[in-house]
Amino acid sequence: MNKKRKGINTICTHVGEVEDKQFKGAVSPIFMSSSYAFEDVDVKRYPRYFNTPNQEALCKKIAALEHAENALIFGSGMAAISHALMAFLNVGDHIVLQQTLYGGTYNFAVTQFEKYGISYSFTNGWDSEDFEKEIRPNTKVIYIETPSNPLLTITDIEAIAKLSKKYDIVSMIDNTFASPVNQNPIDFGIDVVLHSATKYMGGHSDICAGAVASSNEYVHKIWEASICFGGSLSDQTVWLLERSLKTMGLRVKAQNRNAQKMAEFLYENNDINAVYYPGLKSDLNHELAKRQMHGFGGMLSFELKESINASEFLKSLELIKPSMSLAGVESTMLLPVLTSHSLMSPKDREKQGIKDGLIRFSVGIEEVEDIIADIEQALVKVKSKTMLV
Ligand SMILES: *Cc1c(COP(=O)(O)O)cnc(C)c1O
């Protein structure tokens, strides 16, 4: 079935371009119109209808990357996630959500569902039995995120797809952390794949966008809701995202390699208590990750020894930027407690295993020796400060 599919870098570079018929330029021309003819045309085009020439072309690229029939792009990852969820959930429905989720998605669930008459349950674990336990007669959606943020837990994608089919429930996955380079959930039977394109798809920390990939039928259903909610992406950013995607394969593979080396380095370091990375052979999820991922990704997290202050450590870094967000070509670190998971109550954080000293590490494409040297000097600096006190 997959015989004809082109390699990832070929898809990134060539699929879903706007042909420059006028000048035969090598890259897509950008069409900025927000007003198109309505008579004698096949398609009535309008930016909020997700069908400008640049939007349509980019959707083809993203669909090809995720082995999907179709795709949609949005103004942010949360727009993609919220529009997709609201397309499938009605008053009286129920959704089962994975316990460990991106902070914004968690926040969406706990602040928005109730007012629309939608009930929700979070699982107590990551096994398919944990999800099955929460299913009710009115459950319409099962929602997973793997690898998860920030602890890089791995959910068995195939098991969740099977479970969803057994109960006739729509399965959705947030595939942001893996990117389409490392994981293609549709191959395992997942219905709807979601992305914050702000992350690996954009890859340069300069775009905010989101994407959905699914069957023609489901993309149409999501489209019908989305044109009402209106979360489309501007054509300038569409164009920039298309440009960014051309190097996604190269970038992410470099990040995979660097993250593996960083995880091994941190694992051996006496100042580090724990490392969470599915690429480590010692990681509980290593075998499962190997089964469903082509690469283990550029994200990892770790806990410093209790005697080392995590904020001070971050301030001592010189190359690695202590900054929000993730997946850019530059290495960044943050404290989930102060950022992505700050909206969560301390009790819920504890339940999810997110400690105050946990550091999330988005590994970039720099020379890995330079990243290691930066961590080493920061540890020396922060430890000498602690001794002076
Ligand atoms: C960033 C992120 C989102 C939200 O995306 P935005 O583009 O910030 O709206 C959703 N899921 C994951 C895993 C993310 O990292």
Side-chain angles (χ1 to χ4, degrees):
M1 186 184 101
N2 295 346
K3 269 240 168 83
K4 277 198 315 216
R5 185 174 296 133
K6 299 203 164 44
I8 183 87
N9 286 324
T10 314
I11 297 174
C12 283
T13 318
H14 290 291
V15 177
E17 304 268 291
V18 181
E19 195 189 336
D20 181 357
K21 291 194 180 123
Q22 202 176 357
F23 299 110
K24 310 252 179 282
V27 305
S28 297
I30 174 169
F31 290 91
M32 289 302 295
S33 267
S34 62
S35 177
Y36 289 86
F38 62 91
E39 277 180 318
D40 307 320
V41 291
D42 306 333
V43 192
K44 291 195 174 63
R45 296 185 193 277
Y46 185 59
R48 185 171 43 77
Y49 272 59
F50 300 80
N51 62 5
T52 64
N54 292 86
Q55 286 173 331
E56 269 187 4
L58 183 57
C59 289
K60 285 200 186 106
K61 195 189 284 289
I62 289 171
L65 284 167
E66 279 296 7
H67 309 172
E69 284 176 358
N70 216 330
L72 285 174
I73 38 172
F74 295 85
S76 70
M78 281 315 300
I81 291 166
S82 59
H83 290 32
L85 284 170
M86 297 319 273
F88 286 94
L89 292 166
N90 293 301
V91 60
D93 289 346
H94 173 254
I95 173 172
V96 177
L97 299 143
Q98 180 179 308
Q99 182 198 73
T100 322
L101 286 183
Y102 173 71
T105 312
Y106 172 87
N107 196 38
F108 180 82
V110 300
T111 64
Q112 301 300 310
F113 281 150
E114 219 169 274
K115 70 185 181 201
Y116 294 105
I118 297 159
S119 55
Y120 58 92
S121 311
F122 284 100
T123 60
N124 276 316
W126 296 267
D127 292 335
S128 130
E129 299 86 75
D130 295 310
F131 285 83
E132 190 160 20
K133 257 189 246 159
E134 305 298 335
I135 292 175
R136 301 180 191 166
N138 57 340
T139 303
K140 294 290 158 60
V141 174
I142 292 183
Y143 188 100
I144 64 170
E145 184 181 319
T146 179
S148 76
N149 181 4
L151 287 171
L152 288 302
T153 59
I154 304 290
T155 308
D156 187 333
I157 298 175
E158 191 170 20
I160 295 301
K162 278 196 184 133
L163 179 71
S164 306
K165 289 206 163 61
K166 180 174 155 194
Y167 290 92
D168 201 17
I169 295 169
V170 174
S171 54
M172 294 191 187
I173 184 171
D174 184 332
N175 204 32
T176 301
F177 265 37
S179 90
V181 181
N182 289 326
Q183 187 165 277
N184 302 115
I186 285 174
D187 292 349
F188 296 96
I190 290 287
D191 296 314
V192 179
V193 178
L194 303 157
H195 280 281
S196 168
T198 313
K199 313 298 166 54
Y200 286 105
M201 287 187 171
H204 296 73
S205 309
D206 55 9
I207 287 177
C208 186
V212 167
S214 188
S215 62
N216 282 325
E217 183 194 343
Y218 282 178
V219 166
H220 184 73
K221 196 174 162 75
I222 296 165
W223 177 81
E224 284 178 321
S226 300
I227 60 172
C228 300
F229 289 123
S232 57
L233 186 65
S234 87
D235 279 298
Q236 298 225 16
T237 313
V238 167
W239 186 89
L240 200 52
L241 183 53
E242 184 202 305
R243 207 271 299 266
S244 304
L245 280 167
K246 292 189 187 196
T247 56
M248 181 175 65
L250 294 175
R251 283 188 275 110
V252 171
K253 283 179 193 176
Q255 284 164 314
N256 288 346
R257 281 194 300 275
N258 278 358
Q260 182 72 37
K261 286 193 185 138
M262 290 314 304
E264 286 165 8
F265 162 77
L266 293 166
Y267 188 78
E268 293 299 329
N269 194 302
N270 289 333
D271 293 323
I272 313 295
N273 270 351
V275 181
Y276 304 91
Y277 185 64
L280 285 175
K281 285 203 176 65
S282 57
D283 194 275
L284 282 176
N285 288 307
H286 180 65
E287 287 307 315
L288 175 56
K290 232 163 73 177
R291 270 212 312 274
Q292 63 189 29
M293 300 181 81
H294 316 302
F296 299 112
M299 298 300 302
L300 60 95
S301 56
F302 61 96
E303 283 158 18
L304 291 165
K305 250 180 7 192
E306 281 87 2
S307 58
I308 302 176
N309 182 293
S311 289
E312 286 299 324
F313 168 74
L314 291 191
K315 280 184 199 141
S316 305
L317 293 165
E318 289 170 1
L319 179 75
I320 301 165
K321 290 192 168 79
S323 76
M324 299 266 279
S325 201
L326 59 109
V329 289
E330 68 285 344
S331 290
T332 61
M333 286 188 188
L334 61 69
L335 289 169
V337 172
L338 299 183
T339 55
S340 57
H341 290 68
S342 60
L343 295 171
M344 198 176 268
S345 73
K347 215 175 105 212
D348 283 342
R349 270 203 302 265
E350 193 187 304
K351 199 173 143 203
Q352 295 203 0
I354 301 165
K355 297 199 176 142
D356 287 354
L358 183 78
I359 293 175
R360 195 188 71 186
F361 187 3
S362 171
V363 183
I365 63 166
E366 304 93 337
E367 305 309 324
V368 76
E369 297 76 20
D370 295 332
I371 313 175
I372 288 176
D374 193 31
I375 292 175
E376 281 176 334
Q377 69 78 26
L379 284 171
V380 170
K381 221 188 276 171
V382 72
K383 281 196 291 186
S384 70
K385 262 191 210 160
T386 320
M387 275 162 62
L388 290 175
V389 176

